[in-house]
Amino acid sequence: MIAVGSDHAGFPLKEEIKKYLEKNNIAYIDVGCYTPERFDYAISAQKACDKVVSGECDKAILCCGTGVGISMAANKVKGIRACCCSDYFSAKLTRAHNDANVLCLGDRVIGAGLACELVEVFLNTEFEGGRHQKRVDQITAIENGEKLY
Ligand code: RB5
């Protein structure tokens, strides 16, 4: 199950991503927003990320104007590793190396075609583990207030 969410600026892109998920028979929960009316991205970020952390959803796809604000909010939720991407390589490697569980996209930055390609590679790339596990664990340690140095 995938959580999708947006603010008003990311709303059109979220709707395009929902069409892509439906076409590919990928189940999702839309946490809002549900209209193009002004809506703050932190609310959708927290709602979607809570579903990932609880295990109700495996990953989340979040959209705002740039993808940046919503990624900042998402990364404040404990257990979330969110990456704002606008290129294929980063969307792939943030899964393979960083075990990202949230992909953030900017409606005002990329088109729906590229966004759906990024969603596809993000959802279909496995974390490689190995040497990358230690680094992901270090991110978690920072989250837990530990000093790495
Ligand atoms: C909304 O105008 C815009 O600031 C927001 O969607 C996002 O781009 C913030 O990072």
Side-chain angles (χ1 to χ4, degrees):
M1 183 68 70
I2 305 300
V4 296
S6 73
D7 70 352
H8 55 285
F11 175 74
L13 186 57
K14 171 171 69 68
E15 296 306 299
E16 291 301 320
I17 289 165
K18 281 163 62 180
K19 284 183 206 160
Y20 165 84
L21 295 173
E22 282 160 24
K23 215 163 72 185
N24 290 279
N25 293 312
I26 300 168
Y28 67 83
I29 300 172
D30 184 354
V31 303
C33 58
Y34 303 112
T35 73
E37 299 306 307
R38 196 169 297 278
F39 191 89
D40 297 330
Y41 55 78
I43 300 168
S44 303
Q46 191 175 44
K47 271 192 187 175
C49 290
D50 282 352
K51 291 193 182 296
V52 173
V53 171
S54 73
E56 184 180 349
C57 292
D58 309 305
K59 294 186 180 72
I61 312 289
L62 298 175
C63 307
C64 68
T66 58
V68 174
I70 206 157
S71 69
M72 288 180 171
N75 275 315
K76 295 295 179 190
V77 177
K78 205 170 172 178
I80 291 302
R81 289 176 299 282
C83 185
C84 176
C85 294
S86 52
D87 70 281
Y88 188 89
F89 187 70
S90 299
K92 186 177 174 72
L93 270 288
T94 200
R95 284 289 310 128
H97 289 188
N98 315 127
D99 200 14
N101 46 15
V102 178
L103 175 66
C104 301
L105 302 165
D107 185 285
R108 296 170 180 167
V109 181
I110 58 171
L114 175 57
C116 291
E117 296 257 315
L118 302 187
V119 168
E120 181 172 38
V121 73
F122 182 80
L123 295 182
N124 291 308
T125 303
E126 292 300 319
F127 177 49
E128 287 175 8
R131 69 186 192 280
H132 302 294
Q133 184 63 60
K134 176 183 165 199
R135 296 159 188 168
V136 171
D137 290 344
Q138 287 173 335
I139 295 172
T140 305
I142 293 174
E143 193 173 65
N144 291 332
E146 294 172 32
K147 277 278 177 213
L148 300 181
Y149 63 93

